[in-house]
Amino acid sequence: MSEKIPVVDVNIGEKEIEEVIKVVRSKFLIEGKNTREFESKFAKFTGSKHAVTVVNGTSALHLALTALGIGPGDEVITTPFTFIASSNAITFNGAIPIFVDVDRNTYNIDPEKIREAITNKTKAIMPVHIFGNPSNMKEIMEIANEHDLYVIEDCAQAHDARISGKHLGTFGTLGVFSFYGTKNLIGGEGGAIISNDDELDEKIKSLKNHGRNPKGGYNHYQIGYNYRITDIVAAIMNVQMDRAHEILDRRHRNGNLYRKLLDNQEGLTIQKILPNHSSSDYIFAPLITKKDITPQMIISYLKKKNIASRTIYSVLSYEQPCYTNISEWIFAKVVNYPDYSKVSCPNAEYIATHHFELPMVSTLSDENIYYIVDSLKFFF
Ligand SMILES: Cc1ncc(COP(=O)(O)O)c(C=O)c1O
Protein backbone atom coordinates (compact mmCIF):
# COMPACT_ATOMS: atom_id res chain seq x y z
CA MET A 1 0.00 0.00 0.00
CA SER A 2 1.46 3.33 -0.95
CA GLU A 3 -0.82 5.29 1.39
CA LYS A 4 -0.65 4.71 5.10
CA ILE A 5 -3.72 2.95 6.56
CA PRO A 6 -4.67 4.95 9.66
CA VAL A 7 -5.75 3.52 12.98
CA VAL A 8 -7.94 6.56 13.64
CA ASP A 9 -9.89 8.46 11.03
CA VAL A 10 -12.74 10.97 11.08
CA ASN A 11 -15.77 10.37 8.89
CA ILE A 12 -17.05 13.90 8.34
CA GLY A 13 -18.65 14.96 5.06
CA GLU A 14 -19.87 18.10 3.33
CA LYS A 15 -23.28 17.84 4.97
CA GLU A 16 -21.79 18.21 8.47
CA ILE A 17 -19.88 21.29 7.29
CA GLU A 18 -23.02 22.82 5.75
CA GLU A 19 -25.04 22.29 8.91
CA VAL A 20 -22.34 23.85 11.09
CA ILE A 21 -22.27 26.91 8.83
CA LYS A 22 -26.06 27.19 9.09
CA VAL A 23 -25.91 27.23 12.88
CA VAL A 24 -23.14 29.79 12.96
CA ARG A 25 -25.00 32.01 10.47
CA SER A 26 -28.16 31.75 12.58
CA LYS A 27 -26.16 33.20 15.53
CA PHE A 28 -28.04 30.77 17.80
CA LEU A 29 -25.03 28.86 19.06
CA ILE A 30 -26.27 27.69 22.44
CA GLU A 31 -28.40 24.59 23.05
CA GLY A 32 -31.52 24.90 20.96
CA LYS A 33 -33.47 23.12 18.29
CA ASN A 34 -30.49 21.12 16.95
CA THR A 35 -29.79 19.78 20.44
CA ARG A 36 -33.43 18.82 21.04
CA GLU A 37 -33.56 17.18 17.60
CA PHE A 38 -30.42 15.18 18.33
CA GLU A 39 -31.71 14.03 21.71
CA SER A 40 -34.87 12.76 20.15
CA LYS A 41 -32.98 11.04 17.30
CA PHE A 42 -30.58 9.41 19.73
CA ALA A 43 -33.35 8.19 22.03
CA LYS A 44 -35.03 6.63 18.99
CA PHE A 45 -31.77 5.10 17.76
CA THR A 46 -31.10 3.42 21.12
CA GLY A 47 -34.73 2.57 21.81
CA SER A 48 -34.75 4.48 25.09
CA LYS A 49 -37.43 6.85 26.34
CA HIS A 50 -35.06 9.74 27.09
CA ALA A 51 -31.67 11.01 25.98
CA VAL A 52 -29.97 14.06 27.52
CA THR A 53 -26.90 15.59 25.89
CA VAL A 54 -23.89 16.80 27.86
CA VAL A 55 -20.47 18.12 26.92
CA ASN A 56 -18.68 14.78 26.83
CA GLY A 57 -18.84 11.15 27.94
CA THR A 58 -16.91 11.87 31.14
CA SER A 59 -19.45 14.44 32.31
CA ALA A 60 -22.23 12.04 31.29
CA LEU A 61 -20.75 9.40 33.61
CA HIS A 62 -20.31 11.99 36.34
CA LEU A 63 -23.91 13.18 36.07
CA ALA A 64 -25.24 9.62 35.96
CA LEU A 65 -23.51 8.84 39.27
CA THR A 66 -24.54 12.18 40.78
CA ALA A 67 -28.17 11.74 39.75
CA LEU A 68 -28.17 8.35 41.50
CA GLY A 69 -26.84 9.95 44.68
CA ILE A 70 -23.53 8.10 44.62
CA GLY A 71 -21.10 10.01 46.82
CA PRO A 72 -18.30 9.90 49.40
CA GLY A 73 -17.41 6.41 50.59
CA ASP A 74 -19.85 4.58 48.29
CA GLU A 75 -18.30 1.75 46.33
CA VAL A 76 -18.78 1.27 42.60
CA ILE A 77 -17.53 -1.94 41.02
CA THR A 78 -15.90 -1.51 37.64
CA THR A 79 -13.21 -2.76 35.28
CA PRO A 80 -9.59 -1.57 35.16
CA PHE A 81 -9.27 -2.29 31.42
CA THR A 82 -10.80 0.91 30.09
CA PHE A 83 -10.12 4.58 29.49
CA ILE A 84 -9.40 6.41 32.75
CA ALA A 85 -12.67 8.40 32.49
CA SER A 86 -14.70 5.39 33.69
CA SER A 87 -13.12 5.23 37.14
CA ASN A 88 -12.41 8.97 37.35
CA ALA A 89 -16.12 9.74 37.10
CA ILE A 90 -16.63 7.56 40.19
CA THR A 91 -13.76 9.27 42.00
CA PHE A 92 -15.04 12.80 41.17
CA ASN A 93 -17.84 12.37 43.73
CA GLY A 94 -15.66 10.80 46.41
CA ALA A 95 -17.04 7.36 45.63
CA ILE A 96 -14.55 4.48 45.53
CA PRO A 97 -13.81 2.56 42.34
CA ILE A 98 -13.49 -1.13 43.16
CA PHE A 99 -11.58 -2.71 40.32
CA VAL A 100 -12.35 -6.33 39.54
CA ASP A 101 -10.90 -8.58 36.90
CA VAL A 102 -12.19 -9.09 33.38
CA ASP A 103 -12.84 -12.20 31.36
CA ARG A 104 -9.76 -12.95 29.29
CA ASN A 105 -11.86 -13.84 26.22
CA THR A 106 -14.31 -10.92 26.10
CA TYR A 107 -12.03 -8.35 27.85
CA ASN A 108 -15.15 -7.27 29.80
CA ILE A 109 -15.85 -7.30 33.53
CA ASP A 110 -16.29 -10.84 34.90
CA PRO A 111 -19.68 -11.20 36.66
CA GLU A 112 -18.25 -13.76 39.11
CA LYS A 113 -15.65 -11.23 40.22
CA ILE A 114 -18.41 -8.66 40.73
CA ARG A 115 -20.18 -11.04 43.13
CA GLU A 116 -17.00 -11.54 45.14
CA ALA A 117 -16.43 -7.77 45.47
CA ILE A 118 -19.87 -6.77 46.83
CA THR A 119 -19.83 -5.25 50.34
CA ASN A 120 -22.38 -3.29 52.35
CA LYS A 121 -20.91 -0.12 50.82
CA THR A 122 -21.49 -1.19 47.22
CA LYS A 123 -23.99 1.09 45.50
CA ALA A 124 -23.50 0.41 41.81
CA ILE A 125 -21.85 -1.59 39.08
CA MET A 126 -20.31 0.17 36.10
CA PRO A 127 -19.71 -2.26 33.24
CA VAL A 128 -17.75 -0.81 30.33
CA HIS A 129 -18.53 -2.38 26.94
CA ILE A 130 -14.94 -2.36 25.93
CA PHE A 131 -14.09 -1.81 22.26
CA GLY A 132 -17.87 -1.97 21.72
CA ASN A 133 -18.20 -5.60 22.82
CA PRO A 134 -21.29 -6.03 25.02
CA SER A 135 -20.63 -7.10 28.61
CA ASN A 136 -22.59 -10.01 30.03
CA MET A 137 -25.62 -7.85 30.92
CA LYS A 138 -27.84 -10.81 31.75
CA GLU A 139 -25.62 -11.86 34.63
CA ILE A 140 -24.77 -8.30 35.65
CA MET A 141 -28.46 -7.37 35.91
CA GLU A 142 -29.19 -10.54 37.90
CA ILE A 143 -26.49 -9.60 40.41
CA ALA A 144 -27.67 -5.97 40.53
CA ASN A 145 -31.27 -7.01 41.15
CA GLU A 146 -30.26 -9.53 43.81
CA HIS A 147 -28.25 -6.89 45.71
CA ASP A 148 -30.36 -3.84 44.88
CA LEU A 149 -27.55 -2.05 43.03
CA TYR A 150 -27.66 0.56 40.30
CA VAL A 151 -26.05 -0.23 36.96
CA ILE A 152 -24.42 2.53 34.92
CA GLU A 153 -23.45 1.19 31.52
CA ASP A 154 -20.41 2.91 30.05
CA CYS A 155 -21.35 2.76 26.37
CA ALA A 156 -18.80 5.39 25.28
CA GLN A 157 -17.47 2.90 22.71
CA ALA A 158 -20.73 1.08 22.03
CA HIS A 159 -22.87 2.95 19.49
CA ASP A 160 -24.94 0.32 17.70
CA ALA A 161 -23.83 -2.54 19.96
CA ARG A 162 -26.72 -4.77 20.92
CA ILE A 163 -27.81 -7.87 22.79
CA SER A 164 -30.59 -9.77 21.03
CA GLY A 165 -31.29 -6.61 19.05
CA LYS A 166 -31.66 -4.38 22.14
CA HIS A 167 -29.24 -1.46 22.24
CA LEU A 168 -26.67 -1.28 25.02
CA GLY A 169 -27.38 1.36 27.63
CA THR A 170 -30.99 0.20 27.93
CA PHE A 171 -30.23 -2.75 30.24
CA GLY A 172 -28.92 -0.83 33.26
CA THR A 173 -30.37 2.06 35.25
CA LEU A 174 -28.61 4.56 32.97
CA GLY A 175 -26.58 4.31 29.76
CA VAL A 176 -23.77 6.74 28.97
CA PHE A 177 -22.33 7.61 25.55
CA SER A 178 -19.47 9.68 24.16
CA PHE A 179 -19.30 11.49 20.83
CA TYR A 180 -15.61 12.30 21.12
CA GLY A 181 -13.97 12.92 17.75
CA THR A 182 -12.71 9.34 17.25
CA LYS A 183 -15.84 7.45 18.32
CA ASN A 184 -18.23 5.63 15.97
CA LEU A 185 -20.52 8.68 15.79
CA ILE A 186 -18.93 12.00 16.55
CA GLY A 187 -19.50 15.61 17.47
CA GLY A 188 -15.88 16.54 18.25
CA GLU A 189 -16.83 16.39 21.91
CA GLY A 190 -20.23 15.44 23.24
CA GLY A 191 -21.99 12.93 25.43
CA ALA A 192 -25.43 11.61 26.26
CA ILE A 193 -27.23 9.81 29.06
CA ILE A 194 -30.15 7.58 28.15
CA SER A 195 -32.87 6.27 30.45
CA ASN A 196 -36.46 5.12 30.66
CA ASP A 197 -37.02 6.87 33.99
CA ASP A 198 -38.89 10.21 33.88
CA GLU A 199 -37.74 11.35 37.31
CA LEU A 200 -34.06 10.58 36.69
CA ASP A 201 -34.28 12.25 33.30
CA GLU A 202 -35.64 15.47 34.85
CA LYS A 203 -32.94 15.36 37.50
CA ILE A 204 -30.16 14.93 34.92
CA LYS A 205 -31.56 17.78 32.79
CA SER A 206 -31.47 20.02 35.83
CA LEU A 207 -28.02 18.86 37.01
CA LYS A 208 -26.45 19.60 33.63
CA ASN A 209 -27.69 23.18 33.89
CA HIS A 210 -26.71 24.37 37.39
CA GLY A 211 -29.50 22.48 39.11
CA ARG A 212 -31.98 24.77 37.43
CA ASN A 213 -35.65 24.15 36.81
CA PRO A 214 -35.48 22.46 33.36
CA LYS A 215 -38.50 24.55 32.30
CA GLY A 216 -36.45 27.76 32.63
CA GLY A 217 -36.01 30.67 35.02
CA TYR A 218 -33.36 31.31 37.63
CA ASN A 219 -34.51 28.88 40.29
CA HIS A 220 -31.83 26.39 41.28
CA TYR A 221 -33.10 23.38 43.24
CA GLN A 222 -29.80 21.64 43.67
CA ILE A 223 -26.09 22.18 43.13
CA GLY A 224 -25.43 21.40 39.50
CA TYR A 225 -22.91 21.92 36.73
CA ASN A 226 -22.70 23.54 33.35
CA TYR A 227 -22.48 20.49 31.09
CA ARG A 228 -24.54 21.98 28.24
CA ILE A 229 -23.41 21.41 24.65
CA THR A 230 -23.61 23.90 21.79
CA ASP A 231 -25.96 23.68 18.83
CA ILE A 232 -22.86 23.55 16.61
CA VAL A 233 -21.91 20.18 18.09
CA ALA A 234 -25.53 19.03 17.94
CA ALA A 235 -25.70 19.97 14.25
CA ILE A 236 -22.75 17.68 13.49
CA MET A 237 -24.24 14.88 15.55
CA ASN A 238 -27.58 15.21 13.77
CA VAL A 239 -25.93 14.62 10.41
CA GLN A 240 -23.96 11.72 11.90
CA MET A 241 -27.26 10.21 13.06
CA ASP A 242 -28.70 10.57 9.55
CA ARG A 243 -25.58 8.84 8.20
CA ALA A 244 -25.40 6.32 11.06
CA HIS A 245 -26.16 3.28 8.94
CA GLU A 246 -23.63 4.16 6.26
CA ILE A 247 -20.92 4.77 8.91
CA LEU A 248 -21.74 1.88 11.23
CA ASP A 249 -22.44 -0.71 8.54
CA ARG A 250 -18.92 -0.18 7.23
CA ARG A 251 -17.51 -0.73 10.73
CA HIS A 252 -19.55 -3.91 11.13
CA ARG A 253 -18.35 -5.09 7.75
CA ASN A 254 -14.74 -4.46 8.85
CA GLY A 255 -15.29 -6.33 12.11
CA ASN A 256 -16.96 -9.31 10.44
CA LEU A 257 -14.22 -9.54 7.85
CA TYR A 258 -11.44 -9.44 10.45
CA ARG A 259 -13.22 -12.05 12.57
CA LYS A 260 -13.70 -14.33 9.56
CA LEU A 261 -10.12 -14.00 8.33
CA LEU A 262 -8.34 -14.10 11.70
CA ASP A 263 -10.39 -16.70 13.54
CA ASN A 264 -8.01 -19.59 14.29
CA GLN A 265 -4.96 -17.60 13.22
CA GLU A 266 -1.93 -19.18 14.84
CA GLY A 267 -0.27 -16.81 17.33
CA LEU A 268 -3.39 -14.71 18.00
CA THR A 269 -6.78 -14.82 19.66
CA ILE A 270 -9.54 -12.36 18.90
CA GLN A 271 -11.99 -10.72 21.32
CA LYS A 272 -14.86 -13.12 21.92
CA ILE A 273 -18.40 -11.88 21.35
CA LEU A 274 -20.99 -13.80 23.38
CA PRO A 275 -23.97 -15.47 21.61
CA ASN A 276 -26.74 -12.99 20.64
CA HIS A 277 -24.33 -10.11 21.35
CA SER A 278 -23.23 -7.79 18.54
CA SER A 279 -20.31 -5.40 18.79
CA SER A 280 -20.22 -1.75 17.77
CA ASP A 281 -16.93 -2.68 16.08
CA TYR A 282 -15.26 0.37 17.55
CA ILE A 283 -11.85 -1.21 18.03
CA PHE A 284 -10.38 -4.48 16.79
CA ALA A 285 -7.57 -5.56 19.10
CA PRO A 286 -6.37 -9.17 19.08
CA LEU A 287 -4.20 -10.75 21.77
CA ILE A 288 -0.81 -12.24 21.01
CA THR A 289 -0.54 -15.83 22.21
CA LYS A 290 2.81 -16.70 20.65
CA LYS A 291 5.71 -16.76 23.07
CA ASP A 292 8.40 -14.10 22.65
CA ILE A 293 6.29 -11.93 20.33
CA THR A 294 5.52 -8.51 21.78
CA PRO A 295 2.93 -5.95 20.63
CA GLN A 296 5.78 -3.60 19.78
CA MET A 297 7.30 -6.15 17.37
CA ILE A 298 4.01 -6.38 15.45
CA ILE A 299 3.44 -2.62 15.52
CA SER A 300 6.94 -1.98 14.08
CA TYR A 301 6.47 -4.65 11.43
CA LEU A 302 3.08 -3.24 10.36
CA LYS A 303 4.54 0.26 10.26
CA LYS A 304 6.96 -0.90 7.58
CA LYS A 305 3.93 -2.13 5.64
CA ASN A 306 2.30 1.31 5.95
CA ILE A 307 -0.30 0.06 8.41
CA ALA A 308 -0.83 2.04 11.61
CA SER A 309 -1.25 -0.01 14.76
CA ARG A 310 -0.88 0.68 18.48
CA THR A 311 -1.61 -0.51 22.00
CA ILE A 312 -4.33 1.29 23.94
CA TYR A 313 -4.80 0.52 27.63
CA SER A 314 -1.42 -0.97 28.35
CA VAL A 315 -1.50 0.72 31.77
CA LEU A 316 -4.58 -0.39 33.73
CA SER A 317 -6.60 2.19 35.66
CA TYR A 318 -5.40 1.01 39.10
CA GLU A 319 -1.79 1.11 37.86
CA GLN A 320 -2.09 4.78 36.85
CA PRO A 321 -0.26 7.21 39.15
CA CYS A 322 -3.54 9.02 39.89
CA TYR A 323 -4.73 5.84 41.68
CA THR A 324 -1.45 4.66 43.14
CA ASN A 325 -1.17 8.24 44.58
CA ILE A 326 -4.84 8.51 45.52
CA SER A 327 -3.91 10.08 48.88
CA GLU A 328 -3.33 13.31 46.93
CA TRP A 329 -6.92 13.45 45.68
CA ILE A 330 -9.09 16.02 47.46
CA PHE A 331 -11.60 13.42 48.71
CA ALA A 332 -8.81 11.45 50.41
CA LYS A 333 -9.31 13.97 53.24
CA VAL A 334 -12.63 12.32 54.05
CA VAL A 335 -12.65 8.96 52.25
CA ASN A 336 -10.58 5.87 53.02
CA TYR A 337 -9.42 4.67 49.64
CA PRO A 338 -7.94 1.20 49.18
CA ASP A 339 -4.26 0.86 48.49
CA TYR A 340 -4.54 0.56 44.73
CA SER A 341 -0.93 -0.58 44.41
CA LYS A 342 -2.08 -3.88 45.97
CA VAL A 343 -4.88 -4.52 43.45
CA SER A 344 -4.23 -7.39 41.09
CA CYS A 345 -6.37 -8.41 38.11
CA PRO A 346 -4.35 -11.06 36.23
CA ASN A 347 -6.58 -11.28 33.17
CA ALA A 348 -6.69 -7.52 32.70
CA GLU A 349 -2.89 -7.40 33.15
CA TYR A 350 -2.50 -10.09 30.51
CA ILE A 351 -4.72 -8.24 28.01
CA ALA A 352 -3.00 -4.92 28.77
CA THR A 353 0.39 -6.36 27.84
CA HIS A 354 -0.62 -8.64 24.96
CA HIS A 355 -3.02 -6.64 22.78
CA PHE A 356 -2.50 -4.46 19.73
CA GLU A 357 -5.06 -2.44 17.79
CA LEU A 358 -5.60 -2.76 14.05
CA PRO A 359 -7.25 -0.13 11.82
CA MET A 360 -11.04 -0.40 12.07
CA VAL A 361 -12.17 2.99 10.81
CA SER A 362 -15.25 3.49 8.65
CA THR A 363 -13.16 4.72 5.72
CA LEU A 364 -11.42 1.33 5.23
CA SER A 365 -12.06 -0.80 2.16
CA ASP A 366 -12.22 -4.60 1.95
CA GLU A 367 -8.94 -4.40 0.04
CA ASN A 368 -7.33 -2.60 3.00
CA ILE A 369 -8.45 -5.35 5.36
CA TYR A 370 -7.21 -8.17 3.12
CA TYR A 371 -3.87 -6.39 2.91
CA ILE A 372 -3.67 -5.96 6.71
CA VAL A 373 -4.62 -9.59 7.35
CA ASP A 374 -2.20 -10.92 4.74
CA SER A 375 0.58 -8.85 6.29
CA LEU A 376 -0.21 -10.25 9.74
CA LYS A 377 -0.36 -13.80 8.46
CA PHE A 378 3.00 -13.32 6.82
CA PHE A 379 4.40 -12.01 10.12
CA PHE A 380 3.30 -15.14 11.97
C1 LIG B 1 -14.80 3.67 27.85
C2 LIG B 1 -14.85 5.16 27.88
N1 LIG B 1 -15.50 5.76 28.87
C3 LIG B 1 -15.60 7.09 28.94
C4 LIG B 1 -15.02 7.90 27.98
C5 LIG B 1 -15.10 9.38 28.14
O1 LIG B 1 -15.69 10.02 27.08
P1 LIG B 1 -15.23 11.51 26.67
O2 LIG B 1 -13.89 11.42 26.08
O3 LIG B 1 -16.28 11.94 25.70
O4 LIG B 1 -15.26 12.32 27.91
C6 LIG B 1 -14.35 7.30 26.92
C7 LIG B 1 -13.72 8.06 25.87
O5 LIG B 1 -13.21 8.75 25.37
C8 LIG B 1 -14.25 5.91 26.87
O6 LIG B 1 -13.59 5.30 25.87
Side-chain angles (χ1 to χ4, degrees), residues 5-298:
I5 306 177
V7 80
V8 173
D9 204 358
V10 176
N11 196 330
I12 284 280
E14 281 307 309
K15 186 77 182 138
E16 282 89 343
I17 297 167
E18 277 168 29
E19 291 301 313
V20 166
I21 293 170
K22 265 194 219 160
V23 176
V24 177
R25 288 227 163 94
S26 79
K27 299 189 182 170
F28 195 97
L29 308 186
I30 60 171
E31 272 198 20
K33 72 175 172 44
N34 282 287
T35 306
R36 299 291 92 82
E37 185 184 329
F38 171 71
E39 287 173 337
S40 108
K41 278 184 186 168
F42 197 65
K44 191 162 171 225
F45 180 79
T46 53
S48 60
K49 190 167 177 194
H50 304 288
V52 186
T53 50
V54 286
V55 275
N56 51 47
T58 309
S59 55
L61 285 172
H62 182 212
L63 277 201
L65 289 149
T66 308
L68 296 171
I70 294 168
D74 292 338
E75 293 180 354
V76 180
I77 300 173
T78 193
T79 161
F81 186 69
T82 177
F83 182 54
I84 198 71
S86 312
S87 57
N88 275 2
I90 301 169
T91 313
F92 289 167
N93 281 358
I96 305 173
I98 301 295
F99 296 107
V100 302
D101 208 355
V102 298
D103 178 293
R104 196 181 283 204
N105 300 311
T106 64
Y107 312 177
N108 278 326
I109 195 163
D110 179 345
E112 264 323 297
K113 296 289 181 326
I114 296 177
R115 276 189 197 283
E116 291 164 16
I118 291 173
T119 71
N120 57 9
K121 289 195 206 148
T122 309
K123 288 286 178 322
I125 307 168
M126 184 195 283
V128 181
H129 306 297
I130 205 69
F131 303 160
N133 187 23
S135 304
N136 188 336
M137 289 313 296
K138 183 172 174 287
E139 288 192 30
I140 292 171
M141 291 315 295
E142 276 168 14
I143 299 168
N145 292 335
E146 244 171 70
H147 295 270
D148 204 13
L149 303 174
Y150 296 122
V151 175
I152 299 117
E153 289 179 69
D154 183 338
C155 307
Q157 305 183 354
H159 315 80
D160 207 29
R162 296 164 195 270
I163 299 176
S164 302
K166 190 167 145 61
H167 204 291
L168 294 186
T170 59
F171 292 87
T173 324
L174 292 168
V176 166
F177 292 81
S178 163
F179 303 100
Y180 179 66
T182 59
K183 296 288 191 265
N184 280 7
L185 298 170
I186 61 169
E189 294 281 358
I193 305 167
I194 62 167
S195 78
N196 288 323
D197 184 315
D198 298 345
E199 219 175 290
L200 268 177
D201 179 63
E202 282 288 300
K203 196 165 181 190
I204 292 163
K205 280 183 180 141
S206 162
L207 280 170
K208 73 171 257 193
N209 194 10
H210 284 298
R212 212 161 159 172
N213 180 343
K215 297 192 173 60
Y218 281 87
N219 295 317
H220 301 266
Y221 306 133
Q222 54 191 333
I223 301 294
Y225 307 86
N226 173 3
Y227 284 168
R228 299 181 305 256
I229 62 168
T230 69
D231 247 27
I232 302 175
V233 166
I236 300 174
M237 298 200 299
N238 271 323
V239 180
Q240 291 271 299
M241 291 310 301
D242 296 342
R243 296 180 54 221
H245 284 296
E246 167 208 332
I247 296 170
L248 298 167
D249 289 354
R250 181 65 238 183
R251 278 190 177 267
H252 297 322
R253 192 178 163 87
N254 295 344
N256 289 334
L257 204 48
Y258 272 133
R259 283 185 284 274
K260 184 173 122 193
L261 299 173
L262 287 174
D263 198 22
N264 299 323
Q265 169 61 43
E266 185 229 326
L268 292 181
T269 58
I270 56 179
Q271 191 179 17
K272 184 177 173 186
I273 300 171
L274 296 176
N276 300 322
H277 289 208
S278 63
S279 174
S280 72
D281 293 312
Y282 175 56
I283 283 175
F284 188 80
L287 296 184
I288 302 162
T289 52
K290 195 164 180 176
K291 208 166 161 275
D292 300 330
I293 304 286
T294 64
Q296 208 44 55
M297 286 159 77
I298 297 185

